[in-house]
Amino acid sequence: MSFTGKYELQSQENFEPFMRALGLPEDQIQKGKDVKSISEIVQDGKKFTITVTTGSKVLKNTFTVGEESEIEMLNGEKVKAVVQMEGNNKLVTQMKGIKSATELNGDTITHTMTMGNLTMKRVSKRI
């Protein structure tokens, strides 16, 4: 199953408390909470490039499944992480105490991030 495509954010849960826990400034949280971000994913075998555009902010990460890569987090911090594939439709990684899972089901991507007892869930549809 290929992740390649463009996806528009449809819904999100716990965005504001999660971003506060990450240490984002309140003005950035308020600007970002209602923006319909666009995620563009290019998959070439085990290599992925994921570009998320939220208003004027662009976050781009390139990684190869199973290899250590530098990943830029939502707060701009860059960390080393290894992304693994579960089955043929789920990418999982751990970075700085955050568990991230991105699951593709048909034309829908569900991205779940968990830090401690706080979970943010974002659902995007292919456009």
Side-chain angles (χ1 to χ4, degrees):
M1 185 175 291
S2 176
F3 282 78
T4 297
K6 272 191 173 180
Y7 303 85
E8 182 179 34
L9 181 67
Q10 301 295 310
S11 65
Q12 57 189 3
E13 298 167 16
N14 284 333
F15 176 80
E16 291 177 70
F18 195 87
M19 292 301 147
R20 282 188 195 104
L22 272 179
L24 257 69
E26 194 62 33
D27 64 320
Q28 280 187 20
I29 294 170
Q30 294 309 314
K31 274 196 284 195
K33 72 176 184 171
D34 296 319
V35 176
K36 293 288 188 208
S37 66
I38 302 289
S39 300
E40 185 172 1
I41 301 174
V42 177
Q43 179 183 358
D44 180 10
K46 290 184 165 199
K47 186 175 181 188
F48 284 78
T49 300
I50 300 178
T51 307
V52 181
T53 305
T54 308
S56 61
K57 184 166 173 30
V58 177
L59 183 72
K60 184 174 183 175
N61 284 307
T62 300
F63 60 88
T64 301
V65 171
E67 295 180 13
E68 185 175 79
S69 305
E70 188 175 76
I71 305 283
E72 185 177 347
M73 295 178 34
L74 296 169
N75 62 2
E77 186 178 349
K78 293 184 177 178
V79 296
K80 298 276 187 201
V82 178
V83 179
Q84 300 290 355
M85 175 106 43
E86 290 182 1
N88 64 353
N89 71 328
K90 189 173 187 179
L91 298 168
V92 294
T93 190
Q94 288 264 65
M95 49 194 171
K96 289 204 77 172
I98 298 171
K99 182 177 182 196
S100 172
T102 304
E103 188 167 6
L104 176 64
N105 285 309
D107 285 340
T108 303
I109 281 191
T110 303
H111 184 203
T112 307
M113 295 180 80
T114 305
M115 180 171 39
N117 60 358
L118 188 59
T119 298
M120 177 177 74
K121 183 175 172 183
R122 306 180 85 202
V123 178
S124 300
K125 286 252 191 238
R126 193 184 299 260
I127 52 175

